[in-house]
Amino acid sequence: MSTSSEVASAPKHLPVRFIRPSKGWRRLDLRELWEYRELLYFFAWRDIKVRYKQTVIGAAWAILQPVLLMVVFTLFFGQVSAFQQTNIPYPLMTYSGLVPWGVFAAGLAMGGVSITANQALITKVYFPRILLPASTVIAALVDFAIASIVLVGLMLYFGFVPTLITIALPLFVLLAIVTSMGIAFWLSALDARYRDIHYTIPFLTQLWLFATPILYPASIVPASLRWIYSLNPMVGVVDGFRWALLGQAFAFDLTSWLSVVVALLIFVSGIFYFLRVEKTLPDVV
């Protein structure tokens, strides 16, 4: 917890900030985050520049990666009849799932190691450490915007025209951001103390990819297991994204709301856990 006050020995025009360790659980200081908003933008911009530094095709990787995955999925799974239960062409179905997945995967892969990757920085100066995992997700939104250009092209190629329900699309993008940040807060705080997390993240990313309805429609999951399947918040994100953009059937039932509730729980609990251990990060990282 930090407070500001004037010290008699200091010049009157210079405020002195005392930084003291907090005790127990503490709330998110939105005023402090607002004061450091420019640092958040700097971290996000730095992540974007570092990601594509010394690459030949630069930001085109944001398109090439999901496109190559779409091609591979189409070649190996496109002829599986069980995966053809929707009226959406298979390449478009997989790519429309890969675009929001990229936002989530960034929080999982890059956000999860954001504290240990900035070890030298957080041991020298004070700033709200929660900005580091949050900035990786914000940087991923640039890739999301670039990859969405190809998605629009695919929609036009296959004859899909956005309808009025497309106005609901930002809600599912926001849900992907909330889920991604929540996971990033949890993993980055745990990774600082337990380096096992660093080696678990690649496996967890692959496992989560196949547990999300990207290369198959969620409708192939038996109804009796749907509530368990919906504990994965990305199920609601991908299904809702396709519904808003491509008109895929989407039921606003308890299982759909279950994904939303789980996403919010991960986000809120991630914030509180990160703030709980934030004061110890410079000592254990």
Side-chain angles (χ1 to χ4, degrees), residues 34-226:
W34 178 252
E35 291 175 354
Y36 283 90
R37 63 189 182 282
E38 291 185 0
L39 188 59
L40 177 64
Y41 302 147
F42 170 79
F43 283 149
W45 179 242
R46 182 200 60 174
D47 289 344
I48 295 169
K49 290 181 67 176
V50 170
R51 189 182 311 163
Y52 299 118
K53 186 178 181 181
Q54 293 184 327
T55 59
V56 176
I57 62 175
W61 279 109
I63 293 176
L64 194 58
Q65 288 178 338
V67 166
L68 289 178
L69 277 175
M70 176 194 70
V71 172
V72 171
F73 288 161
T74 302
L75 288 176
F76 288 94
F77 303 104
Q79 304 305 318
V80 180
S81 58
F83 294 174
Q84 304 284 347
Q85 296 184 4
T86 68
N87 60 346
I88 304 173
Y90 192 79
L92 181 57
M93 186 192 77
T94 54
Y95 193 84
S96 62
L98 287 168
V99 172
W101 168 260
V103 177
F104 174 75
L108 195 64
M110 291 179 283
V113 298
S114 57
I115 295 299
T116 53
N118 292 277
Q119 177 184 3
L121 182 61
I122 68 172
T123 54
K124 289 183 173 60
V125 295
Y126 173 78
F127 62 90
R129 271 57 173 174
I130 202 169
L131 296 181
L132 287 171
S135 66
T136 62
V137 179
I138 292 176
L141 292 178
V142 176
D143 290 350
F144 172 84
I146 297 172
S148 296
I149 298 172
V150 175
L151 179 57
V152 173
L154 284 173
M155 289 176 59
L156 295 176
Y157 177 78
F158 288 109
F160 280 78
V161 179
T163 62
L164 191 60
I165 60 174
T166 305
I167 60 175
L169 190 65
L171 295 177
F172 296 100
V173 176
L174 179 62
L175 189 61
I177 295 171
V178 165
T179 307
S180 183
M181 282 192 177
I183 289 293
F185 296 153
W186 269 106
L187 291 183
S188 59
L190 289 171
D191 182 55
R193 183 175 294 273
Y194 309 104
R195 299 304 165 84
D196 310 74
I197 299 298
H198 196 88
Y199 300 100
T200 306
I201 286 176
F203 168 74
L204 186 61
T205 305
Q206 295 179 15
L207 188 66
W208 213 312
L209 173 67
F210 289 105
T212 301
I214 294 175
L215 56 91
Y216 57 85
S219 56
I220 69 171
V221 178
S224 58
L225 300 177
R226 190 59 193 270

Side-chain angles (χ1 to χ4, degrees), residues 1 10 15 25 54 82 86 134 139 159 189 218 230 246 267 272 274 276 279:
M1 179 178 179
W25 300 94
Q54 293 184 327
T86 68
S230 297
L246 306 174
F267 181 70
F272 276 97
F274 192 97
R276 170 79 174 179
K279 61 186 177 184

